Structures are given as C-alpha cells and as structure tokens.
Amino acid sequence: MTLALHAAAWTSAAIVLLIFGYLVREAWPALLDAGPASFLFGTAWHPTSEPPQYGVAALFVGTLATTLGAVLVAGPLGIAAALCARFFAPPAVGRWFTRFVVLFAGVPSVVFGLWGLTAVAPLVRRIAPPGTSLLTAVIVLALMILPTVALLAGTALERVREEHLRAAAALSLSRASTLTGVVWPSARAGFLVAVVLGTARALGETMAVLMVAGNVVRVPASLFDPVRTLTANIALELGYATQEHRAALFVTGLVLLLLVTVLVLVSRAAGAARA
C-alpha cells in the first residue's frame, strides 16, 4: 500500500515536471529570439506586425485584475455562505443549500459566459460602453468560483471539533464569540485553501472570460475597459499560430504556469506561518 502511494505521488510530480519541460521546450525559440525581458515587460501584442511584438505584460495585468477582483468578491461571500449554512440556518435548510451549491458548481463555464454576455454585459453597457469589460469578467468569474469557495469552506467547518463547540456553549459564549474565538482559528487554514483553489480556478478559466472580457490587449485604466487574459489569448490564437507566433503563445502558457506555482508557494508559506 505504501509503495503504491509513493508511486502515485512520484508519478503526479513527474507529470507536472514533464508538462513544465514541454512548455519550456516549445517556448524556447521565442525566448531565445526576443529575450525574457521583452515578453515580460512589453505591453504590445502584435503577432502580424513587422517586426512582430509579443509583450505579455498587458495580458498578465488583465489576468491578475480579473482574478483578484473575482476573489475579492467570491472569497468573503463563499466563507460567509458556509458559515451561514453551518451555524445560522436550520439543519434542513443548510443541507438543501449545500446541495444547491454542489449543483451550481457543476454549471459549465460556457453557460456562465453566455449569461454574462446576454445579461450582465448589457447592464454594464448602460453605465459605460462597451459592456464586455473587466467589470463584467469579474462578476462572471466571481459567480463561477463562489461554489468552489463555499463548498471547501464548508468542508473546513465540518472539521471543527465538536467538543470545542460544546465547550464554547458550556462557557455561555455568544455566537459571535464562538465564531471568532473557536471556529475561525480552527478553520482558517481550510478557508485559505478554499480561497487559493478558487483563485486557481479563476486563473485557469478560459471560455467565460473570452466571451465577456472584450479581448483587447491593453492595460485597463478602469473597471469598464475591455481586457484580454493569458488563457483567452491562447484560446483565440493557437488555432492559426505558426512558428514564432506559436512559440510566443507557449511563453504565455509558461507564464500562467509559473503564476499558479507562485500562488501555491505563497499559500503554503502563509499556512505554515499561521500554523
């Protein structure tokens, strides 16, 4: 049994390393020709110009802006929803709420994109055109990752020891004191995992963002500006890209993988610091 678990762990690690190596191999011609600094700090993405320009800075900012905005909305809401279902709602209501969230988590991303394009974008357009913008992408992404955060936060709350809750009740602690003094210290590591996994899903989302973000390669000056993310850029251009253009798209994939890696390392460091 132990040997099988070790084999599975090493196989998983090997697959990740192979993916990383493949991305580096495919991206290497573009990195060698233009240099990493040109990709990381250039804001212009014009693959058909002479000479071509492959700066991913604007794509990077668009990805961070949509992800951060969605997490700032979905993180607190998801944790609050889990707390409400566990400690405030009647047990029957809490169970049905959890089932609803599970079903909500299974909605395909293209359905969220279609809803955002036909319902959210027109509302945003009334405030400031064009409607397909950073704000629209944040709203749609927040709703997409909200079930993930809520379910994982609920799992963290289920791991709070029942004897701790009974001890708090025996001490006649108020509900607010129980949540802040007992539940939060016990579940905060799980809450962090919930937010990190929600962030990872937001970073990797493609179809919904492609439909509602506007897909203009530029650094946004406001929430109403259209943006393009790294994932949307790959989906839009990989089908017809060749040679250096194709290699440049693999550079964007490599940047995305490194971004997720940094996110995981930061979350581990934060978890270790709080332990």
Side-chain angles (χ1 to χ4, degrees):
M1 183 66 179
T2 303
L3 182 61
L5 291 175
H6 278 289
W10 283 107
T11 300
S12 302
I15 290 173
V16 174
L17 289 175
L18 286 172
I19 293 173
F20 179 76
Y22 177 76
L23 288 175
V24 171
R25 190 191 71 177
E26 295 296 322
W28 190 253
L31 289 172
L32 193 63
D33 183 57
S38 175
F39 280 99
L40 293 177
F41 301 108
T43 58
W45 181 273
H46 302 300
T48 59
S49 64
E50 284 297 335
Q53 296 175 290
Y54 298 115
V56 301
L59 302 172
F60 186 78
V61 172
T63 301
L64 286 183
T66 54
T67 301
L68 182 61
V71 171
L72 288 177
V73 174
L77 286 179
I79 294 173
L83 288 170
C84 180
R86 177 69 174 81
F87 294 104
F88 292 90
V93 175
R95 287 193 297 270
W96 279 105
F97 174 79
T98 302
R99 293 171 185 171
F100 171 76
V101 173
V102 170
L103 291 175
F104 193 39
V107 176
S109 61
V110 68
V111 175
F112 281 102
L114 182 62
W115 170 76
L117 190 63
T118 57
V120 180
L123 294 177
V124 175
R125 190 184 303 121
R126 294 180 183 178
I127 304 173
T132 50
S133 61
L134 173 60
L135 178 60
T136 309
V138 165
I139 294 172
V140 173
L141 263 185
L143 286 176
M144 288 186 65
I145 68 175
L146 180 59
T148 301
V149 177
L151 289 173
L152 292 174
T155 302
L157 291 175
E158 290 175 359
R159 299 180 65 180
V160 177
R161 297 180 127 190
E162 193 65 31
E163 54 264 33
H164 291 173
L165 298 176
R166 287 198 296 266
L171 292 171
S172 300
L173 294 181
S174 66
R175 185 173 295 177
S177 298
T178 301
L179 292 179
T180 57
V182 178
V183 175
W184 178 260
S186 300
R188 61 183 176 184
F191 291 161
L192 178 63
V193 171
V195 173
V196 168
L197 290 180
T199 305
R201 185 184 179 189
L203 281 173
E205 180 52 44
T206 304
M207 183 55 66
V209 176
L210 188 150
M211 296 173 70
V212 302
N215 299 312
V216 177
V217 183
R218 68 178 182 185
V219 177
S222 73
L223 285 171
F224 301 103
D225 287 344
V227 295
R228 183 185 292 188
T229 63
L230 292 165
T231 53
N233 191 59
I234 296 172
L236 284 169
E237 299 186 6
L238 188 60
Y240 63 86
T242 59
Q243 298 178 353
E244 187 182 18
H245 183 192
R246 183 176 182 274
L249 291 176
F250 274 93
V251 174
T252 65
L254 186 61
V255 170
L256 187 62
L257 179 61
L258 293 175
L259 185 61
V260 173
T261 303
V262 170
L263 174 66
V264 172
L265 293 176
V266 169
S267 68
R268 287 177 64 87
R274 293 184 178 185

